[in-house]
Amino acid sequence: MSIQARARSRCSWLPELDTLSGPIYKSVADALAASIADGTLEPGAPLPPQRLLADALGVTVGTVTRAYREAERRGLVEARVGSGTRVRQVGSQTPDFHHLSKADGDSIDLSLSIPIPSTTRAQQLSQTLTKLSSRPDLIAQSLSYQPEQGSPAQRMQLAQWLTAQELPMSGEELILTTGGQHADFLALQTLIRPGEAVASDALTYPGMIAAARQLGLKHLPVPMDREGMRPDALEKLCQRQRIRLIYLMPEHNNPTAIQMSEARRRAIVELARRYDLLILEDGVQYVSPALRGTPFYRLAPERSLYIFSVSKILAGGLRFGALRAPTALIPQLSAGLRAECWSTPGLMGAAVCEWLTSPDAQELIDWQWRELEARHRLLEQHLAGYDFLAHPCGFQAWLHLPDPWRASDFITQAASRGVTLVSPEPFCVGSQPAPQAVRICLTPPPHREQLGTGLQRLSELLAEGPRPSAPLV
Ligand SMILES: Cc1ncc(COP(=O)(O)O)c(C=O)c1O
């Protein structure tokens, strides 16, 4: 056996030689990135020793050293003295998807995706509770254990409300949950076995990353473009791996604000049917009916689940949401919810249904959409000329930082000017490097003026460019 053949047989990972083109070190780094993205190389996996890989590829050790350095520069791998080079372990950290403000006293918080603060919310809840307290029938019902799926009356009330919002569904298809995060977790916990794989946009909601990790699922990133998840990349992944479910936010990806095109939705459905994938569509980032596309559960009702929550339209503290599922999956999901907590609290369901279906709630929701439109105009005014993505009634924008800004420096320097932003790291699936981009939430400031001041400071910072860093010795 030749030296090369022996080395090849001992390598734990090998790039496909026929795909190498251009500078070899770059091709090896590209191949590493592809293997990490499709899950062939998992976080923490050791790379072959450099000499072994060099022999296997018939190149010099220097070329492999350069390739590993390039991969390290891209944030794909980390080299440790004594333990060689390994795929980066971003995945072992608990993602920081806190929903409590980190902004200190005077800082302008643009980091959280929360409903626009308004004293009307508390007033409306207070009126709802007063009304509820004069309904002994509803109070008495709340004292009883509820069916796992949730009270049939509440499910019907919610289904009617959603249908009026152009999300037609029936109460039988709904399971009431304690918010959108619970619905995400319930779907994964009940429908996917530990060790099985789920896929999502490469940049996704950190609560989903946390749920998949908590349940020991393989979570694979699928690259996106400005129309959403790329079907060619999803198909490639499906050809290599058995994937059970894809998680999508087609109306408003959190964090990138990308809305998936109709053509893209249909292409994804075709793949889901071909590869027998479930589709978990997260509608928590609630978008006005006039600006919505076709939900997946309407395109492929037999395999799609839809998540609704009142967190972005009424208030996150209510912890109330629902999961729409094909009726064939309802018994399985109900059993999962029963094992967790028997059912969601009937009293909270009664209060939320009463509030949500009132004309007051609709006024509040309409006010928030009008206010968001005005806030988006401010965004366009302050960030004109920069590369950002936004959805007209979305809570956030995604700003690609111009060269040579790095996201970490931008966030630190914004903080020193009294603006709080969140790091892009928690949104990254797997060990892919975070982009040099930041999410800018438009909703936390109670007043538009404050948002304007925050955006003005960011625009000044962008124009000035990063402070030169101290030379390393
Ligand atoms: C896309 C997405 N899904 C789920 C959630 C969690 O929703 P809830 O607060 O209803 O649990 C959020 C919260 O920000 C979100 O952005």
Side-chain angles (χ1 to χ4, degrees), residues 99 113 178-182 184 205 247 249 254 282 284-285 309-312 316 319-320:
H99 282 248
S113 174
T178 49
Q181 177 66 28
H182 179 211
D184 273 328
Y205 165 55
Y247 169 78
M249 290 165 275
N254 181 7
D282 188 326
V284 172
Q285 295 278 336
S309 158
V310 295
S311 290
K312 308 294 169 189
R319 312 309 308 136
F320 184 83

